[in-house]
Amino acid sequence: MKKIIVADDEQLIRKLLNDFLTAEGYAVLEAADGAEALSLFEANPDTSLLILDIMMPEYDGWEVCRKVREKSSVPVMMLTARSQDFDQITGFDAGADDYVTKPFSPVVLVKRVEALIRRQGEKTPKVTGYWGLTVDREAHEVKINSKPVELTVKEFKILDKLIGNVERVYSREQLLDDVWGFDYDGDIRTVDSHVARLRTKLGSWGEKHLKTVYGLGYKIQESADE
């Protein structure tokens, strides 16, 4: 289920969007201000789209969008009661993908959300590669210097998650939710054992690039001798 963060200081707007988006099968996370929106995004890096009101406490929508853009290309829709061209230009300069002015048609907004998420999916490369390793999502294959590496489904998903955002640290909790699912109630240390086996299977590439960030989680990073 794709996640959407809705950030607006008006509870009625959040509820309206939550109702319509939930009815279309999305999981909606609500934030009442910019700081809460950023915290939600940090805790849910697999978010598919953010809907940001411009005039919010703590951080306004422009600032939230700029901070998100420092780490991610996730689609961002700006939502505001203003209609001046200045707001639109500022929003797009901050990295926004779309702009909706209140009052709006919830049905039309949902269609625009669907279009943004679909376009983002089309942008996702089918093959990702770094330092001799390639991940082919369609063929479900991993190769190092053109030699196949046999991975389990869980190992493949962990690698795909990490390599999709090089240098970003993912916690064990994030990997557990993304790979095993939110309803998994097993031992979180299963993530450690899967990452350890994955690193072993990747050989010297894994030793160089699949790193443990103690106290935080795991990440893919460039080796000092690359």
Side-chain angles (χ1 to χ4, degrees), residues 53-70:
D53 182 39
I54 286 182
M55 302 303 294
M56 291 188 293
E58 300 295 334
Y59 299 115
D60 61 29
W62 296 326
E63 185 64 17
V64 174
C65 186
R66 291 189 190 98
K67 289 181 180 294
V68 167
R69 279 291 168 264
E70 293 174 0

Side-chain angles (χ1 to χ4, degrees), residues 175-207:
L175 291 173
L176 195 70
D177 288 345
D178 291 341
V179 175
W180 278 264
F182 288 99
D183 56 351
Y184 179 78
D185 58 0
D187 193 336
I188 196 171
R189 287 176 296 183
T190 190
V191 175
D192 299 330
S193 60
H194 277 74
V195 171
R197 287 196 294 270
L198 173 60
R199 184 183 286 117
T200 298
K201 290 183 178 182
L202 295 177
S204 60
W205 194 99
E207 293 177 6

Side-chain angles (χ1 to χ4, degrees), residues 34-91:
E36 188 178 2
L38 287 172
S39 295
L40 279 176
F41 183 68
E42 288 291 333
N44 298 272
D46 58 336
T47 296
S48 296
L49 181 138
L50 289 88
I51 300 176
L52 306 175
D53 182 39
I54 286 182
M55 302 303 294
M56 291 188 293
E58 300 295 334
Y59 299 115
D60 61 29
W62 296 326
E63 185 64 17
V64 174
C65 186
R66 291 189 190 98
K67 289 181 180 294
V68 167
R69 279 291 168 264
E70 293 174 0
K71 300 181 178 180
S72 173
S73 60
V74 61
V76 174
M77 176 183 290
M78 307 299 285
L79 187 65
T80 181
R82 296 181 177 181
S83 59
Q84 291 92 338
D85 290 341
F86 171 76
D87 278 351
Q88 297 191 36
I89 293 170
T90 304

Side-chain angles (χ1 to χ4, degrees), residues 4 39-40 59 67-68 92 103 112 127 130 160 209 213-214:
I4 296 177
S39 295
L40 279 176
Y59 299 115
K67 289 181 180 294
V68 167
F92 288 130
R112 294 173 76 163
V127 178
Y130 291 96
D160 188 34
H209 302 290
V213 182
Y214 293 100

